């Protein structure tokens, strides 16, 4: 797939005139079509399946987002509205740029194009004007996503206004500076916002393949009895880069997911026990107690907060595990049941997906993910038991 | 999506996002070193492994005449994945892990002892791999062995499993005429329940064909127009550029009506013509499909003459490359009367479609490879724009099944300027454009459906027989009048016999230029 890009800078010192921008875009599309008017097979198809508002801070993040949108547009031709904020600037400023992103089909025939409007806001214009500049530029009748490429500033007016426009807000709990606080705050926000709009978490998306592999153990009817006899869950994770002393949000979400699906409740935490930095929690499943151990591994560059293994042990020595061999991009899964009489293991490929691919997957989901919300709520309750 | 039952049984399947993954099972492939297994089945199964949609508790037992060890079989299958899979790549460790569960049993399909050996091997595999007694038999062998394989499976007690399920996938062609299809159905139903039988039609595994249901029944705007009030006629084109590709001997006994129309094209046709099903489950959908096909008017000898056209290609050129005529192909009689092209006009006697002809054409060595459904709407009732409308065709909705899966709506629009000039413009929806994803191979989807017990995209007994019932008068009439065929009557690389254009023209219509 090939991407072509053209950009027109559109100065808008007195604010962004949506009608003028649309006119410029139409002219740009006309020019693209004109290039191949003699050969209709090489024309362009202007496609828009959604609006994607992206918030980025500073030029560095802007460049990252630009690169990432190339991947997203391949899967979701859309109108991307990129808000680049320079909050520290003294002078209030608002500028807009338009560009089209085209991909050639594999046969090099028709180009499929989406479009991008970049709004660069500086100083007080970030909060005062950016959201009102975005609103009239949204393509009607297709879903609106807001990807907030930063820790959500729930109290921030711009976040508030943009998220009000959106059908769904995409965040990334892996980017939390202070995971314990931020996750607890997120749980609170999810509780408050549950009726108005939904939140999507790239980190929850990252957990999907793990959840799927863990769940698949109990697709086997012979193993199902062990589900109600679980004695311990051990999750090992790489420490989060931004807060190495805290539990990686992904590990907490994994426990939150298991607890939600299996109806576990919290009995207590034993924060100080065991090995260094290890956290132990006691949960209750009906009449039985079970132990959850969250264990950071050695910090390895490039694994930022990833789960490296998840092991579930049940009565009678039954054991189920999924482990990552990151250096080889492989996943191992194994089940040992009947006191070791039956053992099955296998190796699977682990395709590390790019952030662009992850974001693309989030853009396919429009409905509220109640299971995610419950998993976050459980993770927050678990964190609440830790006595620092 | 996981089924509701699955969620109840496995609470970790609750919620969204988790892809449906296959249940534990052993897949037994009859004809394991054959062409289909090498080109499609094993690459599809490996792709499912790559996508992590198969469980660890999974095994494959290959059955074939050629004697070879498990390792030799694994090596052959590995080579076929490398040659025939889309990526042409293999992850060595993942393959080894998958291949561990792969065994080969040299066997003769007609020999009862082989089934005893198979039963033993299945028990062994179930013990070792934990496949939970679930068994899928895939009959990828010559059609004359379908009934025999099922009979032998039944005799060896393999059509029932004490613990799990037993399902059988039967490849095409399903019979060579109505009588043989009925016999085959009778034969296999002596040993299996209809619910255990999965008659594969890989057309139904194609994304656009599945999208037909979504397109018709998830959009509020089309269904009200999907009838005789608004639709003038429907054209279904199933064109191939290839010839018989060395299968002249087989094709001589078959022809395009047997090979394509009575199965693939009729499946697509029934999805276009059916009424909305009460629910999206296998029985409801297939009930409506068969109901529509029962409303299809039977072909009398007169109708065969007035509503059907047969053709056979002569020498010509495809994409500038000269190609021989059908009669010059290997294994084909020099005076062959086998049709390589057929046009069939279907008429439905029901409230929805009364008076709306469905023109179907299918053929080999045609100008372009394309399968599409074109719904032509009626002309606007009043010609308000007079001569400006002269070159305008009525609205069309085109559903492309292959290649470039997608949907196009053709509407009239004013050409900008002082004078009112009107032109047709296409509004295009292409899968590749709106969902930039690689579409799954039909076999991946269908095998996964079968393992999950979903037979919606498989042909039911009544549908296979109804397909034959409808085409038999055509085959009989054409068989009886071979001398009148006047073959070859179209050039390779053209759009078929002139007569098919004339037939539409006589009804005031013309074939869409695809």
């Amino acid at each position: 797939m090939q991407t072509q890009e053209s950009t027109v800078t559109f100065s808008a010192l007195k604010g962004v005139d949506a009608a003028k921008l649309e006119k410029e875009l139409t002219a740009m599309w006309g020019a693209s079509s004109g290039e191949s008017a003699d050969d209709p097979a090489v024309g362009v198809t202007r496609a828009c399946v959604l609006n994607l508002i992206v918030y980025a801070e500073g030029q560095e993040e802007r460049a990252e987002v630009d690169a990432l949108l190339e991947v997203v547009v391949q899967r979701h031709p859309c109108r991307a509205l990129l808000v680049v904020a320079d909050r520290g600037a003294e002078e209030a400023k608002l500028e807009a740029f338009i560009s089209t992103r085209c991909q050639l089909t594999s046969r090099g025939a028709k180009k499929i194009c989406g479009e991008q409007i970049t709004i660069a806001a500086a100083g007080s214009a970030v909060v005062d004007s950016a959201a009102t500049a975005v609103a009239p530029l949204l393509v009607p009748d297709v879903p609106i996503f807001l990807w907030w490429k930063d820790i959500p500033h729930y109290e921030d007016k711009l976040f508030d206004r943009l998220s009000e426009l959106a059908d769904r807000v995409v965040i990334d709990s892996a980017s939390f500076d202070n995971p314990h606080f931020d996750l607890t705050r997120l749980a609170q926000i999810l509780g408050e916002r549950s009726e108005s709009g939904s939140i999507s978490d790239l980190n929850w998306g990252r957990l999907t393949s793990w959840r799927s592999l863990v769940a698949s153990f109990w697709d086997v009817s012979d193993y199902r009895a062990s589900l109600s006899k679980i004695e311990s869950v051990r999750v090992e994770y790489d420490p989060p880069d931004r807060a190495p002393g805290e539990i990686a949000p992904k590990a907490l979400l994994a426990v939150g997911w298991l607890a939600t699906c299996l109806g576990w409740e919290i009995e207590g935490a034993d924060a100080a026990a065991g090995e260094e930095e290890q956290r132990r929690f006691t949960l209750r499943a009906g009449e039985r107690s079970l132990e959850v151990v969250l264990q950071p591994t050695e910090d390895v560059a490039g694994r930022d907060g990833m789960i490296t293994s998840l092991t579930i042990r049940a009565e009678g020595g039954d054991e189920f595990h999924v482990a990552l061999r990151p250096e080889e991009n492989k996943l191992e899964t194994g089940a040992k049941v009947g006191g070791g009489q039956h053992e099955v293991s296998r190796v699977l490929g682990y395709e590390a997906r790019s952030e662009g691919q992850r974001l693309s997957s989030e853009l396919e989901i429009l409905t509220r993910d109640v299971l995610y919300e419950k998993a976050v709520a459980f993770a927050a309750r678990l964190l609440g038991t830790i006595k620092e | 999506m996981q089924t509701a039952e699955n969620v109840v049984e496995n609470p970790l399947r609750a919620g969204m996002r988790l892809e449906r993954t296959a249940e534990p099972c052993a897949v037994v492939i009859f004809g394991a070193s054959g062409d289909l297994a090498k080109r499609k089945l094993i690459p599809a199964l490996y792709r499912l492994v790559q996508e992590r949609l198969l469980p660890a508790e999974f095994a494959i037992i290959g059955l074939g005449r050629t004697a070879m060890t498990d390792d030799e079989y694994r090596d052959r299958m590995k080579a076929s994945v490398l040659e025939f899979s889309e990526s042409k790549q293999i992850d060595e460790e993942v393959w080894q892990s998958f291949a561990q569960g792969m065994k080969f049993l040299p066997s003769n399909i007609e020999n009862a002892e082989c089934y005893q050996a198979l039963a033993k091997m299945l028990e062994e595999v179930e013990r070792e791999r934990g496949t939970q007694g679930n068994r899928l038999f895939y009959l990828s062998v010559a059609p004359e062995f379908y009934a025999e394989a099922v009979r032998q499976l039944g005799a060896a007690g393999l059509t029932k499993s004490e613990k799990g399920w037993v399902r059988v996938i039967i490849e095409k062609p399903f019979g060579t005429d109505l009588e043989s299809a009925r016999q085959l159905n009778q034969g296999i139903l002596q040993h299996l329940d209809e619910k255990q039988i999965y008659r594969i039609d890989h057309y139904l595994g194609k994304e656009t064909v599945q999208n037909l249901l979504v397109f018709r029944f998830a959009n509020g705007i089309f269904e009200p127009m999907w009838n005789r009030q608004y639709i003038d006629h429907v054209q279904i084109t199933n064109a191939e550029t290839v010839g018989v590709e060395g299968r002249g001997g087989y094709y001589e006994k078959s022809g395009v009506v047997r090979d394509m129309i009575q199965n693939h094209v009729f499946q697509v046709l029934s999805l276009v013509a059916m009424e909305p099903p009460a629910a999206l489950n296998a029985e409801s959908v297939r009930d409506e499909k068969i109901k529509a096909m029962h409303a299809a008017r039977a072909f009398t000898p007169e109708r065969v003459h007035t509503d059907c056209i047969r053709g056979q290609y002569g020498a010509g050129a495809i994409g500038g490359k000269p190609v021989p005529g059908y009669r010059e192909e290997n294994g084909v009689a020099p005076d062959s009367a086998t049709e390589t092209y057929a046009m069939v006009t279907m008429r439905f006697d029901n409230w929805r479609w009364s008076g709306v002809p469905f023109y179907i054409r299918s053929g080999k060595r045609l100008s372009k490879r394309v399968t599409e459904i074109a719904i032509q709407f009626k002309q606007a009732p009043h010609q308000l724009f007079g001569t400006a409308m002269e070159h305008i065709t009525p609205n069309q909705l085109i559903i492309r099944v292959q290649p470039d899966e997608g949907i196009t709506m053709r509407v009239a629009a004013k050409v900008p300027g002082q004078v009112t000039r009107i032109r047709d413009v296409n509004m295009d929806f292409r899968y590749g454009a709106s969902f930039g994803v690689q579409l799954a191979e039909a076999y991946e989807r269908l095998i996964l459906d079968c393992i999950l017990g979903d037979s919606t995209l498989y042909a039911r007994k009544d549908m296979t027989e109804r397909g034959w019932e409808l085409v038999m008068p055509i085959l009989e009439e054409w068989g009886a009048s071979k001398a009148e065929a006047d073959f070859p009557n179209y050039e390779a690389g053209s759009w078929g016999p002139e007569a098919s254009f004339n037939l539409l023209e006589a009804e005031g219509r013309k074939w869409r230029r695809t």
Side-chain angles (χ1 to χ4, degrees):
Chain A
M1 201 90 74
Q2 201 178 328
T3 303
Q4 293 184 339
E5 191 176 342
S6 51
T7 306
V8 172
T9 306
F10 192 81
S11 177
L13 293 171
K14 293 176 184 171
V16 174
D17 182 335
K20 271 189 176 176
L21 269 177
E22 294 284 3
K23 206 173 155 189
E24 283 291 338
L25 265 171
T26 306
M28 195 181 264
W29 283 108
S32 309
S33 302
E35 283 165 15
S36 49
D38 50 338
D39 184 358
V42 198
V44 295
T45 303
R46 184 183 186 179
C48 181
V49 295
L50 53 92
N51 291 289
L52 174 62
I53 309 170
V54 187
Y55 171 80
E57 276 201 8
Q59 291 307 315
E60 200 179 316
E61 267 196 7
R62 176 186 175 172
E64 272 175 43
V65 170
D66 266 337
L68 192 137
L69 283 175
E70 289 213 354
V71 180
V72 173
V73 166
Q74 281 178 21
R75 191 153 176 159
H76 304 281
C78 62
R79 173 169 286 187
L81 292 142
L82 171 57
V83 179
V84 184
D86 177 5
R87 290 177 186 252
E90 282 182 11
E91 194 188 341
K93 203 171 156 189
L94 203 61
E95 264 187 323
F97 314 88
I98 55 172
S99 56
T100 56
R101 281 172 191 279
C102 294
Q103 19 150 345
L104 301 180
T105 62
S106 49
R107 292 174 190 80
K110 268 191 176 177
K111 289 189 284 188
I112 297 123
C113 301
E115 55 206 13
Q116 182 176 328
I117 302 174
T118 305
I119 295 169
S124 61
V126 174
V127 171
D128 296 341
S129 317
T132 52
V134 167
L137 292 168
L138 294 166
V139 177
D141 298 328
V142 287
I144 303 165
F145 288 83
L146 166 64
W147 177 37
W148 193 262
K149 195 181 155 31
D150 200 351
I151 305 156
H153 302 120
Y154 304 111
E155 288 75 26
D156 180 46
K157 269 192 183 168
L158 181 62
F159 177 80
D160 201 36
R161 286 174 183 162
L162 290 180
S163 60
E164 254 178 37
L165 293 175
D167 297 304
R168 196 169 181 90
V169 180
V170 183
I171 59 160
D172 187 356
S173 62
S175 71
F176 287 172
D177 278 338
N178 182 350
H180 291 191
F181 172 79
D182 290 333
L183 212 54
T184 307
R185 183 81 181 96
L186 175 63
Q188 197 184 333
I189 295 290
L190 283 169
E192 288 165 9
R193 289 173 60 102
S194 59
E195 297 307 315
S196 54
S198 39
I199 288 186
S200 220
D201 185 349
L202 291 177
N203 216 20
W204 181 245
R206 286 184 199 103
L207 198 61
T208 305
S209 56
W210 282 83
R211 290 199 294 128
S212 187
L213 288 171
V214 172
S216 67
F217 288 124
W218 289 282
D219 286 339
V220 183
S221 48
D222 279 359
Y223 306 166
R224 217 161 279 152
S226 63
L227 258 186
S228 54
K229 296 174 189 164
I230 292 175
E231 291 179 332
S232 73
V233 176
R234 181 184 176 90
V235 183
E236 295 187 2
Y237 60 90
D238 184 84
D241 290 353
R242 293 184 183 206
E246 299 200 7
I247 306 169
K250 205 170 162 184
L252 287 162
L253 289 175
V255 176
W257 164 65
L258 284 169
T260 304
C261 291
L262 300 175
W264 297 343
E265 280 308 325
I266 298 168
E267 207 165 68
D270 182 7
E275 301 161 43
E276 195 185 347
E277 293 182 338
Q278 188 187 76
R279 297 283 183 181
R280 285 171 184 271
F281 301 90
T282 310
L283 305 190
R284 173 148 293 281
E287 296 299 303
R288 289 177 311 104
S289 285
L290 64 110
E291 184 185 52
V292 170
V293 179
L294 299 178
Q295 172 74 53
T297 56
E298 192 188 336
D299 194 356
V300 176
R303 292 194 204 166
D304 185 16
M306 284 165 85
I307 295 180
T308 51
S309 80
L310 196 156
T311 309
I312 296 175
R313 291 193 177 87
E315 252 176 53
D318 291 357
E319 186 182 305
F320 307 88
H321 82 271
V322 181
L324 173 69
R325 298 193 329 225
E327 66 283 358
E328 296 164 60
N329 281 338
K330 295 283 188 302
L331 281 164
E332 283 175 354
T333 77
K336 210 189 298 176
V337 291
Q341 284 197 333
H342 177 71
E343 252 188 274
V344 172
S345 65
R346 64 173 169 167
V347 178
L348 293 163
Y350 177 79
E351 200 182 330
R353 300 173 70 199
S354 71
E355 289 307 282
Q357 288 169 320
R358 295 230 176 268
L359 180 60
S360 292
S361 302
E362 292 306 318
L363 301 182
E364 285 167 15
I365 299 164
L366 265 171
T367 46
R368 221 178 117 193
D369 191 343
V370 179
L371 189 58
Y372 165 68
E373 293 174 11
K374 287 183 177 172
V376 172
F378 189 91
R381 289 205 300 278
L382 210 56
L383 288 170
T385 65
I386 297 176
K387 298 178 189 77
E388 297 294 348
Chain B
M1 298 270 280
Q2 296 295 322
T3 58
E5 293 80 16
N6 202 352
V7 171
V8 173
E9 290 172 352
N10 180 0
L12 295 179
R13 287 279 173 205
M16 332 158 21
R17 278 173 178 262
L18 296 195
E19 298 226 42
R20 46 183 218 154
T21 50
E23 290 179 48
C25 74
V27 176
V28 180
I29 304 175
F30 286 76
S33 49
D35 220 33
L36 183 75
K38 283 194 295 191
R39 285 173 182 270
K40 297 286 182 191
L41 305 186
I42 298 292
L45 288 165
Y46 179 65
R47 176 102 184 113
L48 289 172
V49 171
Q50 282 183 310
E51 304 258 309
R52 294 180 230 150
L53 299 176
L54 292 185
E57 293 74 12
F58 188 81
I60 294 173
I61 298 176
L63 301 185
R65 280 177 175 275
T66 326
M68 62 181 128
T69 64
D70 291 346
D71 281 339
E72 281 167 344
Y73 179 61
R74 288 167 188 152
D75 288 346
R76 280 200 195 192
M77 292 305 108
K78 186 177 165 187
S80 64
V81 172
L82 282 167
E83 187 179 350
F84 298 114
S85 67
E86 180 101 346
S87 70
K88 313 231 175 284
Q89 283 177 350
I90 225 161
D91 181 317
E92 189 56 40
E93 205 175 350
V94 173
W95 171 264
Q96 289 304 338
S97 182
F98 170 55
Q100 264 177 24
M102 211 181 257
K103 285 177 179 289
F104 187 79
L105 184 65
S107 55
N108 176 348
I109 215 161
E110 294 165 295
N111 183 344
E113 284 174 21
C114 294
Y115 293 83
Q116 297 306 327
L118 173 63
K120 214 171 138 198
M121 189 177 264
L122 272 166
E123 280 171 20
E124 201 179 292
V125 156
E126 276 158 17
R127 217 173 28 249
E128 281 171 16
R129 307 283 303 177
T131 52
Q132 307 296 299
N134 296 329
R135 297 165 182 184
L136 165 58
F137 298 101
Y138 199 119
L139 304 188
S140 160
V141 288
E144 56 267 33
F145 294 118
Y146 294 161
E148 175 64 8
V150 174
R151 189 187 70 76
Q152 293 274 12
L153 285 171
L158 289 169
T159 49
K160 290 181 179 65
S161 169
E162 279 174 23
K163 196 174 164 199
W165 46 256
V166 176
R167 293 172 193 143
V168 179
I169 296 183
I170 298 177
E171 264 294 330
K172 77 157 203 173
F174 198 85
T176 52
D177 54 22
L178 178 59
E179 190 48 38
S180 59
R182 278 186 179 150
Q183 274 179 11
L184 181 53
N185 273 327
Q186 256 171 22
I188 59 179
L189 281 163
Q190 281 176 11
H191 304 281
L192 296 164
D193 278 346
E194 177 62 30
K195 282 190 174 151
Q196 293 178 283
I197 305 168
Y198 289 69
R199 299 172 192 84
I200 206 161
D201 189 318
H202 67 268
Y203 261 59
L204 291 178
K206 291 183 185 292
E207 201 71 44
T208 323
V209 174
Q210 295 163 41
N211 193 31
L212 250 172
L213 286 175
V214 176
F215 186 77
R216 284 192 58 193
F217 305 123
N219 291 298
I221 59 169
F222 295 110
E223 202 45 32
M225 301 192 299
W226 210 263
N227 56 50
R228 63 190 298 276
Q229 304 293 334
Y230 299 97
I231 292 175
D232 180 72
H233 71 280
V234 176
Q235 298 183 7
I236 299 180
T237 298
N238 171 236
E240 294 180 283
T241 52
V242 294
V244 290
E245 306 294 289
R247 295 190 310 146
Y250 158 76
Y251 206 78
E252 275 288 88
K253 288 185 240 152
S254 166
V256 73
V257 171
R258 285 188 167 89
D259 195 41
M260 298 300 292
I261 292 184
Q262 64 80 20
N263 44 23
H264 304 322
V265 179
F266 279 1
Q267 285 289 349
V268 173
L269 171 71
S270 63
L271 287 168
V272 178
M274 70 192 265
E275 296 295 317
L280 193 65
N281 59 47
E283 293 316 309
S284 302
V285 172
R286 299 192 299 183
D287 282 348
E288 292 306 333
K289 283 168 70 179
I290 192 68
K291 207 169 94 192
M293 293 310 280
H294 277 307
R297 192 179 302 167
F299 286 94
T300 58
E302 295 72 41
R303 270 201 73 206
V304 175
H305 285 285
T306 55
D307 276 354
C308 304
I309 303 289
R310 59 181 146 169
Q312 188 192 77
Y313 63 87
I318 302 280
K321 190 179 155 206
V323 294
Y326 176 68
R327 288 176 176 179
E328 286 102 63
E329 302 267 13
N330 282 340
V332 174
D335 59 346
S336 169
T338 303
E339 83 287 353
T340 61
Y341 172 98
M343 179 204 151
V344 173
T345 309
M346 302 292 293
R347 301 181 196 276
F348 290 90
D349 294 317
N350 61 13
W351 278 67
R352 187 184 281 266
W353 296 118
S354 178
V356 180
F358 283 62
Y359 302 112
I360 290 171
R361 59 176 169 173
S362 179
K364 288 195 170 289
R365 287 280 190 233
L366 295 181
S367 173
K368 194 172 163 185
R369 174 180 171 254
V370 59
T371 301
E372 65 166 40
I373 303 149
I375 313 286
Q376 177 140 337
F377 291 93
K378 290 190 171 168
Q379 187 71 266
H382 174 52
Q383 300 294 312
L384 190 60
F385 298 98
T387 54
M389 295 278 288
E390 265 173 12
H391 299 287
I392 301 303
T393 52
N395 298 129
Q396 278 183 343
L397 176 77
I398 297 115
I399 300 159
R400 273 185 312 280
V401 176
Q402 63 181 16
D404 285 338
E405 294 90 336
I407 292 163
T408 299
M409 182 82 202
R410 170 166 278 216
V411 296
K414 181 182 173 297
V415 179
Q418 304 303 327
V419 186
T420 301
R421 285 203 189 92
I422 300 174
R423 289 283 175 273
D424 286 328
V425 290
N426 282 350
M427 294 197 297
D428 238 354
F429 155 76
R430 284 192 291 157
Y431 262 88
S434 291
F435 307 104
V437 287
Q438 189 194 339
L439 302 183
E441 272 276 323
Y443 275 94
E444 283 170 39
R445 166 70 200 247
L446 293 171
I447 293 172
L448 192 57
D449 274 4
C450 177
I451 297 176
L452 288 165
D454 182 353
S455 55
T456 311
L457 300 177
Y458 284 85
R460 202 167 61 184
K461 170 184 179 282
D462 47 8
M463 189 70 170
T464 54
E465 292 181 10
R466 182 60 184 157
W468 283 116
E469 246 168 41
L470 284 165
V471 300
M472 284 318 290
I474 304 174
L475 293 170
E476 282 160 9
E477 189 59 26
W478 284 353
S481 58
K482 284 184 182 169
E484 293 166 29
D486 193 24
F487 287 164
N489 60 353
Y490 73 96
E491 204 177 297
S494 71
W495 273 109
E498 194 60 35
S500 73
F501 291 87
N502 297 342
L503 197 154
L504 253 73
E505 210 168 296
E507 298 194 3
R509 301 177 176 114
K510 59 180 183 183
W511 281 111
R512 204 181 94 75
R513 201 177 61 201
T514 59

